[in-house]
Amino acid sequence: MSKVKVGFIGVGGIASVHLKNISDNENAEIVAVCDISEENVQRASSQYGAPAYTDSKQMIEEIDMDALYLCVPPFAHGTLEEDAVAKGIHLLVEKPVELDVAKAAKKGEAIKEAGIINASGYCLRYLDTVQKAKEYLEGKEIGMVRGYYLSAFVPTPWFREMDKSGGQLVEQATHTLDLMRYFAGDITDVYANMNLSLLKDIPNITIPDVTSVNCVFESGVVGHLDCSNTQPDHRSGLEILGRDFRVHIDGTDLEIVEKGKVTRYKATVNFMAEEDKQFIEAVRTKDQSLILSCYQNGLETLTATMAANESNETKAPVKISEFAKSTT
C-alpha cells in the first residue's frame, strides 16, 4: 500500500485534531469528509482538498477508502460501523463508541468477523509517560487505583442531555476509567453515586455535575473515580498504589514515589498524533498489534461506565457481567 486513503465522518471538535494529524502524515491522505453541517464540512473540504458529503452512506459507497474515522456524538452512530464494515474499511471509532451497549456489542462482532484493523479513541494509552508507568508496574502488585476528572462545563447543547451524551463519566471521564482498566485490568463490580447539585440553572441540563464511582477489578484491586464539570480549570489523572510505591499520572506528567525517592517524567510525545500514526501504520502493514485500544476495549470501557450509570439509577452495586447480559 502506498498512501492510506482516509475518510472522515464528523469534522468538528476532536475530528479537527485527527484531520491535521492525518494531513501531516506522509503515509496517509484525506480522500473525503462528511458532516451533517454543510458549513463545517465545506470548511474542512476547502482546508484539506477533499470532497465534501453530508450523506455518510453516499460517501462510503462512492469513495475508495482504506480507513475511516468516526468522530460523531455518542448518540449519532446509527449504522455507520456496519456500513463501513460491509465495504471492508478499517475503522477508528472515537470514544465513547456508542450509548447502547447491546448495539456496540453487535458492531464489535461485525468488526471482528470482517477482520478489519480497528481502534477506539483512547488516546492517553499512547503517552510515553503512560507506557513508562506500565513498564515500571510490570510484575508489581497493585492494591488501589484512584482516578479523577475535574473540569468545566461543556456548552455543546447535546452534551448536557443524558440520553445524548451519557453524562460526563461516559463522555469525558471515560478516558480516566479506561486508564484505570489499562493498569488494573477488567472491572467486575461498580457502585456509583451522582447528582445534579450546582448547575441546575443551565437550560435543559439532565446530566450529573458530580459523580463518584467505586469499582472492584478482577485482579482484586479496588478503585475509585471522581468526576465533576463544575470547575474553572481542568485536571485529570490517577494514582496507582502499591506497597511502598505510588505511581501518579497527573495530566500527561508521571511521578513515581518510592521510599526516599521521587522520580518525575514529562511527556515528550503528542499522544493524539502518536495514536493516529500508529493507526495509519497498522492499516498500512495490516498489524492490529500496533493498536493499544481496539474497538472491543472501547466496548468494555463503555460497558463499565454505563453500568455505573445504572448503579446510580438503582442505588445499588452492579456486576458488569450481569449488566452486559441484561442489555442483550
Side-chain angles (χ1 to χ4, degrees):
M1 183 182 294
S2 52
K3 286 194 173 186
V4 176
K5 298 185 288 292
V6 183
F8 277 79
I9 297 178
V11 298
I14 199 68
S16 63
V17 182
H18 290 301
L19 281 161
K20 183 182 185 307
N21 291 340
I22 297 304
S23 71
D24 290 342
N25 190 314
E26 63 182 9
N27 292 318
E29 60 179 326
I30 300 168
V31 296
V33 289
C34 178
D35 199 285
I36 60 172
S37 167
E38 181 75 36
E39 179 183 356
N40 289 346
V41 79
Q42 289 298 336
R43 186 186 303 116
S45 172
S46 175
Q47 184 174 358
Y48 295 105
Y53 287 82
T54 55
D55 185 324
S56 62
K57 289 182 182 293
Q58 182 184 3
M59 186 185 87
I60 289 172
E61 284 298 319
E62 293 182 357
I63 298 295
D64 177 25
M65 289 180 286
D66 300 309
L68 180 62
Y69 277 68
L70 299 184
C71 303
V72 299
F75 64 90
H77 284 259
T79 61
L80 292 175
E81 289 85 352
E82 292 89 339
D83 296 342
V85 163
K87 302 285 285 187
I89 299 170
H90 307 291
L91 283 175
L92 187 148
V93 184
E94 259 302 343
K95 58 83 228 163
V97 297
E98 251 284 357
L99 282 185
D100 186 309
V101 172
K103 287 181 181 178
K106 289 180 181 179
K107 292 172 189 284
E109 284 300 317
I111 288 168
K112 182 179 179 181
E113 289 174 11
I116 60 172
I117 299 297
N118 61 94
S120 56
Y122 288 97
C123 50
L124 295 182
R125 293 185 176 212
Y126 293 86
L127 272 166
D128 52 349
T129 45
V130 166
Q131 291 306 312
K132 192 173 290 288
K134 188 81 168 171
E135 180 182 344
Y136 172 80
L137 290 166
E138 186 69 31
K140 292 182 172 64
E141 185 176 3
I142 298 171
M144 176 181 287
V145 182
R146 304 170 64 241
Y148 55 95
Y149 191 103
L150 310 170
S151 66
F153 178 75
V154 176
T156 306
W158 58 260
F159 177 78
R160 69 191 67 184
E161 299 181 34
M162 196 70 171
D163 61 350
K164 291 184 178 178
S165 70
Q168 188 187 28
L169 175 64
V170 173
E171 219 288 324
Q172 292 182 311
T174 181
H175 277 299
T176 304
L177 187 71
D178 184 72
L179 276 189
M180 292 168 70
R181 291 187 56 252
Y182 190 47
F183 289 114
D186 291 335
I187 297 172
T188 59
D189 302 79
V190 292
Y191 180 54
N193 299 102
M194 309 174 187
N195 200 12
L196 175 56
S197 300
L198 305 172
L199 303 180
K200 295 176 183 178
D201 59 314
I202 295 176
N204 303 318
I205 188 169
T206 57
I207 63 171
D209 55 28
V210 287
T211 293
S212 176
V213 183
N214 284 311
C215 49
V216 178
F217 295 81
E218 188 174 353
S219 59
V221 172
V222 297
H224 183 81
L225 170 62
D226 293 320
C227 61
S228 177
N229 50 23
T230 64
Q231 297 299 291
D233 58 354
H234 174 81
R235 290 181 293 135
S236 65
L238 70 162
E239 290 185 326
I240 303 160
L241 309 183
R243 184 167 182 173
D244 295 328
F245 73 83
R246 180 174 75 253
V247 173
H248 182 199
I249 296 170
D250 185 22
T252 61
D253 295 340
L254 170 64
E255 180 181 72
I256 299 174
V257 180
E258 300 169 299
K259 280 187 172 182
K261 181 182 179 183
V262 178
T263 309
R264 296 182 177 89
Y265 302 93
K266 291 280 188 181
T268 61
V269 302
N270 178 322
F271 54 89
M272 286 197 64
E274 190 67 19
E275 175 190 37
D276 290 330
K277 175 185 173 184
Q278 292 298 95
F279 177 64
I280 294 302
E281 186 64 11
V283 171
R284 196 177 70 82
T285 61
K286 302 296 187 294
D287 186 359
Q288 179 68 36
S289 70
L290 296 175
I291 304 298
L292 298 182
S293 177
C294 62
Y295 186 90
Q296 179 64 30
N297 176 72
L299 168 60
E300 290 168 0
T301 295
L302 172 71
T303 303
T305 57
M306 294 300 286
N309 281 354
E310 175 75 8
S311 173
N312 179 62
E313 287 293 321
T314 61
K315 307 303 179 189
V318 171
K319 287 194 172 295
I320 300 292
S321 59
E322 293 177 4
F323 174 76
K325 288 178 183 176
S326 74
T327 66
T328 60

